Amino acid sequence: MKSLIVYFSHCHENYVNGDIVDLEKGNTQVVAEKISQYIDADLFEIKPLHDYPVQYHQCTQVAKEEIENQKRPKIKNIIPHFEQYQNIYLGFPNWWGTMPMCVWTFLESYQFDGKDVYPFITHEGSGFGRSLQDLKTIIPHAYIHEGLAIFGHQVYESEDKIKSWVGE
């Protein structure tokens, strides 16, 4: 069975080490691409139908409203033949203590029963928050393995941490 790295990432304005900075590439994308250097896996970016705002504070407000209202933003791309994948490396930023709601949409769109899920997250101090518990609720029949949490401001220096995690 094949492996798949699935991620959602937000570039442009992000909170990084106490400041708002403009990122050409989102932190979670950086980690996903680093993981792909160490394992043989297809790479898939979750792309919401409607982009999140570029400005940090506007983006966090939209994210908060989606979580509070349990919205499921539509996704504009799909994974053909998802059933061929056994190992799913799932990456996302921590937004308001959990996964962005477009990741919920993704998880609810596919059959995860019996699949091995390896979550990885980027954050600026909140780690996984409640996202691991949420994963177990959304995909209860998947095997959720130990996750990897990386500070957003450390993604470019995270090779050793990533290599160790995928090696386990």
Side-chain angles (χ1 to χ4, degrees):
M1 288 294 243
K2 296 172 66 175
S3 295
L4 177 67
I5 302 166
V6 176
Y7 70 93
F8 169 73
S9 194
H10 184 261
C11 59
H12 303 297
E13 286 188 8
N14 275 264
Y15 182 79
V16 177
N17 211 18
D19 294 313
I20 306 298
V21 297
D22 191 24
L23 301 178
E24 182 179 319
K25 189 181 285 192
N27 292 325
T28 307
Q29 180 180 354
V30 172
V31 176
E33 290 173 353
K34 287 181 181 294
I35 291 170
S36 75
Q37 295 172 4
Y38 299 115
I39 64 171
D40 180 25
D42 293 332
L43 196 62
F44 179 83
E45 179 181 4
I46 298 169
K47 295 180 181 177
L49 185 59
H50 301 289
D51 291 334
Y52 286 95
V54 171
Q55 295 80 15
Y56 174 76
H57 293 293
Q58 290 176 1
C59 182
T60 59
Q61 188 59 38
V62 168
K64 183 178 183 182
E65 290 170 8
E66 286 180 352
I67 290 170
E68 288 174 346
N69 297 309
Q70 291 295 297
K71 289 186 178 178
R72 299 298 192 269
K74 291 184 180 181
I75 297 172
K76 62 182 167 186
N77 54 344
I78 62 165
I79 300 172
H81 308 294
F82 184 75
E83 70 280 356
Q84 71 182 334
Y85 297 103
Q86 177 61 38
N87 301 308
I88 312 296
Y89 293 81
L90 177 66
F92 48 89
N94 181 329
W95 283 6
W96 296 101
T98 190
M99 301 167 280
M101 295 308 288
C102 62
V103 176
W104 291 61
T105 302
F106 168 80
L107 293 169
E108 293 169 348
S109 300
Y110 296 94
Q111 180 57 254
F112 279 84
D113 291 1
K115 296 200 181 287
D116 291 286
V117 177
Y118 301 86
F120 63 96
I121 191 167
T122 56
H123 66 97
E124 279 302 320
S126 52
F128 275 98
R130 68 177 184 280
S131 59
L132 293 177
Q133 294 89 331
D134 289 340
L135 270 175
K136 291 174 185 174
T137 298
I138 299 168
I139 52 172
H141 301 294
Y143 302 107
I144 300 172
H145 295 265
E146 183 176 340
L148 173 67
I150 296 181
F151 282 95
H153 66 276
Q154 295 177 346
V155 295
Y156 287 100
E157 296 82 35
S158 61
E159 287 87 359
D160 290 343
K161 194 172 187 180
I162 292 168
K163 193 173 184 180
S164 175
W165 181 66
V166 298
E168 297 170 1

